[in-house]
Amino acid sequence: MTTPSSSVSLSTVHVIVDDPDAAVVFYRDTLGLTVRNEVAQGDFRWITLSTESQPEIQIVLSQPHAGRSQEDGDAIAALLAKGELRTLHFRTDDLDATFEKVAGAPGAEVLQEPVSQPWGTRDAAVRDPAGNMVRIEQA
């Protein structure tokens, strides 16, 4: 007897940032994401954003110590400062125009200008103001 198959889809991606205001400027004003929700708890904030083309997928910006012990928050903050947290990947219809906008964003660091990769993707890479790597590929 087989069980009915269920559909699984991506719902939320968490991105650790040290300065929520700078992160919102980058993800909202530079990449064009929409702020859907903002929740404050004490000294910390969680900010939920999404893209117009995939509003069901949430990107949640949070700080290293939000909802964590001091020790765990310190460890995550250290990894963030070294740029060792996971990469966030985006897709765009116009890589050159998006890259120009991102490269000029406050706090962004260009890691790789647009280039065709051997595996068939044309992409670019930057660090957001918190140091997270963000790769953007041509759709």
Side-chain angles (χ1 to χ4, degrees):
M1 179 175 186
T2 62
T3 58
S5 64
S6 60
S7 176
V8 176
S9 61
L10 183 63
S11 70
T12 306
V13 175
H14 287 264
V15 178
I16 305 294
V17 298
D18 52 1
D19 181 343
D21 294 323
V24 167
V25 167
F26 181 80
Y27 289 98
R28 181 194 62 205
D29 300 345
T30 303
L31 287 179
L33 278 64
T34 301
V35 174
R36 302 288 183 192
N37 194 16
E38 187 169 336
V39 177
Q41 183 176 357
D43 294 334
F44 304 110
R45 293 168 31 211
W46 287 264
I47 302 155
T48 305
L49 303 105
S50 64
T51 65
E52 291 299 319
S53 63
Q54 295 174 304
E56 72 281 5
I57 299 175
Q58 302 175 71
I59 296 172
V60 179
L61 306 176
S62 64
Q63 294 155 278
H65 292 89
R68 296 177 184 87
S69 69
Q70 185 67 41
E71 182 181 357
D72 288 348
D74 289 349
I76 291 171
L79 289 171
L80 178 63
K82 289 172 46 177
E84 291 297 323
L85 298 180
R86 296 289 176 208
T87 303
L88 194 59
H89 293 257
F90 288 96
R91 183 175 295 137
T92 182
D93 292 333
D94 188 342
L95 179 60
D96 294 316
T98 302
F99 178 77
E100 286 299 318
K101 191 171 183 181
V102 171
E109 174 191 353
V110 173
L111 299 175
Q112 172 203 301
E113 294 192 10
V115 65
S116 294
Q117 299 291 358
W119 52 88
T121 299
R122 184 167 182 267
D123 70 358
V126 299
R127 289 205 186 278
D128 72 8
N132 294 298
M133 183 185 293
V134 175
R135 296 195 75 85
I136 305 166
E137 70 179 39
Q138 179 83 36

